[in-house]
Amino acid sequence: MEQLVALRRDLHAHPELGYKETRTSDIVARVLTEQGIEVHRGLGGTGVVGVLKRGTGSRVIGLRADMDALPMQDNGSQPWKSTHEGICHACGHDGHTVMLLGAAIQLAQQGDFDGTLVFIFQPAEEGLAGAKAMIDDGLFSRFPCDAVYALHNWPELPLGEVQTRPGPIMAAADRFDITVQGGGGHAAQPHLTHDTLLATSELVVALNTLVARALDPCEPALLSVTRMQGGFSHNMIPAEASITGTVRTFSPAAQDIIETRLRAMAQHVSAAHGLHAEVNYLRYYPATVNSAPEAQLALTAVQQAGMTASEARQPALTSEDFAFMLQAKPGAYLWIGSAPSQPLHHSAYDFNDALIPQGIQALTAIARHALRTEFPC
């Protein structure tokens, strides 16, 4: 465990962005090879897959961890803070990588299972769809898993407590960028031009009514405007202004409604000010939807291993590209408590090393239990 903690801290000190996890993937491949685990590299660019077989069982179970860091400054005070300017493991992927490596080591050394385990070390989870890249590179055609599972540390839960739920657990994530154009002029002569900032400000207010008035009140969804830009002088109305934001939903129908209404709202508000809008709307992650049998299996396995586990009351509006794997295979995404710690994506966040043995315990319990369980086709 001391070696795993040291490794986790080393990864924290040397974070790498999506599709650039060369040092991390080298370390992962080396550790797996040292345990006699069959290693495959290059899926999704920097992805690593380890394959471990025991006995004669035909079932194949995948366990996944993400490896990438975030493009943000590490403002922590620990000796192992990031040594790379503007890059930080602020979401705990360093801990996820080490927990899955620890599970692989334990399962390889104990060998007390019957079947095949596929350890999936994925690049580029943070908005770059590394899971999809691995699938497109043949992940499930080369390693045909019967089910896949993933853990994510969750500061909102007590240390080591596990939660998941059947159905949606994380939201679909969309991004919108709107540019309002056609104005520009002297700030002292607003009657001679069209005011892009006024139109954009009105649009921000209007967009914040969209979810409340376009969707069924029982449909969970969120729209947040997160950036507004325009102008460079105190006495000039800019020729254009822009806003950026995110939409989170759990159903394609809600996505369709919000995108359609957002596009119309942007055009109509702009037109009312004598301007026009350009809208770019990107649906980059689908909702993360657990299959019910696998979600229950994971909870049962963890409980039987002596850990606290329960069904989550509601999904989160954060997103996760493990969604692509759950579109391709049955499986479950689980939260495992990491409190006390800073919130995820906080600039001083550091993974709670006390979680490492409990994460290993949960992953190995799920792997062993899943290889013993047959679901009807």
Side-chain angles (χ1 to χ4, degrees):
M1 194 55 58
E2 289 180 1
Q3 292 175 338
L4 289 175
V5 169
L7 175 57
R8 203 285 302 174
R9 294 177 179 180
D10 174 79
L11 294 178
H12 191 91
H14 301 89
E16 297 173 302
L17 296 176
Y19 299 120
K20 298 179 180 179
E21 307 95 338
T22 52
R23 181 181 184 273
T24 305
S25 60
D26 284 345
I27 291 171
V28 167
R30 174 178 56 78
V31 173
L32 295 176
T33 300
E34 289 172 352
Q35 298 300 318
I37 297 172
E38 180 183 312
V39 174
H40 303 262
R41 303 190 64 176
L43 284 87
T46 47
V48 181
V49 174
V51 180
L52 180 63
K53 300 178 181 179
R54 292 289 187 271
T56 59
S58 61
R59 281 184 61 76
V60 182
I61 298 299
L63 302 174
R64 170 271 201 175
D66 36 19
M67 301 188 295
D68 59 321
L70 284 157
M72 58 188 291
Q73 189 66 28
D74 188 344
N75 291 322
S77 58
Q78 63 276 13
W80 53 87
K81 69 181 294 185
S82 174
T83 59
H84 297 169
E85 188 74 18
I87 306 176
C88 175
H89 265 302
C91 200
H93 297 185
D94 48 347
H96 301 167
T97 297
V98 168
M99 289 192 301
L100 186 54
L101 282 174
I105 291 168
Q106 181 173 314
L107 289 161
Q109 292 181 357
Q110 296 181 353
D112 53 345
F113 63 92
D114 186 19
T116 301
L117 293 171
V118 179
F119 305 107
I120 303 166
F121 293 87
Q122 180 210 303
E125 187 279 327
E126 295 290 356
L128 298 174
K132 185 177 186 298
M134 292 191 80
I135 294 169
D136 290 344
D137 275 353
L139 174 65
F140 292 132
S141 59
R142 294 174 60 183
F143 313 101
C145 298
D146 293 298
V148 289
Y149 298 87
L151 287 179
H152 200 295
N153 80 97
W154 210 244
E156 292 92 327
L157 293 175
L159 183 68
E161 182 175 321
V162 174
Q163 285 191 355
T164 191
R165 67 194 306 273
I169 187 167
M170 303 279 269
D174 304 341
R175 170 180 172 158
F176 61 86
D177 295 273
I178 303 172
T179 302
V180 177
Q181 301 171 323
H186 202 295
Q189 297 176 311
H191 59 293
L192 299 180
T193 187
H194 301 292
D195 194 333
T196 53
L197 288 178
L198 179 60
T200 305
S201 298
E202 186 176 319
L203 181 57
V204 170
V205 174
L207 288 172
N208 277 281
T209 70
L210 200 156
V211 169
R213 288 296 176 263
L215 295 180
D216 185 319
C218 295
E219 175 79 38
L222 174 145
L223 184 153
S224 290
V225 176
T226 56
R227 183 174 65 188
M228 183 176 181
Q229 293 180 315
F232 52 88
S233 173
H234 81 283
N235 62 353
M236 182 181 293
I237 295 172
E240 68 177 41
S242 64
I243 58 175
T244 295
T246 187
V247 172
R248 304 299 170 101
T249 55
F250 292 97
S251 72
Q255 274 184 306
D256 292 342
I257 292 170
I258 290 180
E259 179 178 356
T260 300
R261 294 286 292 270
L262 180 147
R263 289 181 179 277
M265 189 174 284
Q267 295 299 338
H268 294 158
V269 170
S270 299
H273 289 267
L275 301 162
H276 65 275
E278 291 186 359
V279 179
N280 183 37
Y281 194 97
L282 174 64
R283 304 185 184 193
Y284 62 94
Y285 284 176
T288 306
V289 182
N290 291 334
S291 48
E294 282 71 22
Q296 185 56 56
L297 180 148
L299 289 175
T300 300
V302 171
Q303 289 168 346
Q304 290 182 356
M307 301 178 69
T308 301
S310 61
E311 183 172 317
R313 291 182 299 166
Q314 59 190 23
L317 284 158
T318 45
S319 64
E320 165 61 70
D321 79 340
F322 190 63
F324 291 109
M325 295 192 184
L326 292 179
Q327 286 184 333
K329 296 290 180 180
Y333 182 84
L334 299 90
W335 301 323
I336 184 166
S338 55
S341 74
Q342 295 282 5
L344 299 176
H345 292 212
H346 189 282
S347 64
Y349 171 90
D350 185 31
F351 186 85
N352 188 343
D353 288 324
L355 180 58
I356 293 175
Q358 300 190 55
I360 293 171
Q361 183 180 8
L363 288 166
T364 54
I366 291 167
R368 293 182 175 111
H369 201 89
L371 287 175
R372 294 197 301 267
T373 304
E374 294 284 351
F375 294 119
C377 296

